[in-house]
Amino acid sequence: MYSDKVMDHFSNPRNVGIMEEPTVLVKVGDPDCGDALLLFLKIEGDKIRDIKYKIFGCGAAIATSSIASELAMGKTLEEALQITDQDIADALDGLPDEKMHCSNLASGALKAAINEYRKVHASDK
Ligand code: FES
């Protein structure tokens, strides 16, 4: 049912944890299943320098959060905003249809965090 990559990231999630002084922190939830993702970003210049997260969710949510953290690491904010649910699923060699929605958490959290950062940053000026 799951690809080897999903199983690998589920068993050994990358970049998981809490960041002491994040530039931005967001929590997003999936109202249908109740799962949630807490995402910490360290942003320097216009690049994502570090990512940590805590995931309270299903196995697919763990694997998609893990691979999304790898995809977004070191990217510019603009590049990270382009990461779609499909990119995340593709990077895991696919997800079962009924688990595709689980990748929304990671891509949604990335977008929410970057938008939040931009909002705060804009009001600094
Ligand atoms: Fe909720 Fe997968 S079932 S994120």
Side-chain angles (χ1 to χ4, degrees):
M1 172 177 174
Y2 286 119
S3 70
D4 289 347
K5 271 200 180 167
V6 173
M7 293 311 294
D8 177 30
H9 280 264
F10 166 64
S11 309
N12 180 25
R14 323 299 200 265
N15 304 308
V16 75
I18 284 178
M19 192 184 289
E20 288 301 328
E21 293 185 4
T23 313
V24 63
L25 160 64
V26 292
K27 183 176 182 191
V28 298
D30 182 328
D32 291 332
C33 64
D35 292 343
L37 173 64
L38 195 59
L39 180 70
F40 306 77
L41 295 184
K42 175 75 76 187
I43 298 171
E44 286 171 10
D46 72 336
K47 283 202 174 160
I48 297 177
R49 292 294 180 198
D50 198 13
I51 301 181
K52 294 280 182 209
Y53 58 90
K54 291 294 258 186
I55 175 77
F56 309 92
C58 71
I62 294 169
T64 51
S65 299
S66 173
I67 196 88
S69 73
E70 290 198 324
L71 290 175
M73 190 76 80
K75 292 269 195 312
T76 65
L77 301 184
E78 215 41 60
E79 288 166 342
L81 279 174
Q82 307 300 321
I83 297 172
T84 64
D85 306 351
Q86 192 63 51
D87 294 333
I88 291 170
D90 289 349
L92 288 169
D93 294 337
L95 282 170
D97 283 350
E98 69 275 17
K99 286 289 173 184
M100 272 304 290
H101 74 97
C102 307
S103 61
N104 294 346
L105 272 182
S107 62
L110 269 173
K111 287 180 178 62
I114 292 168
N115 288 334
E116 176 68 19
Y117 170 77
R118 285 183 164 170
K119 214 165 65 188
V120 171
H121 199 68
S123 67
D124 283 350
K125 287 180 186 164

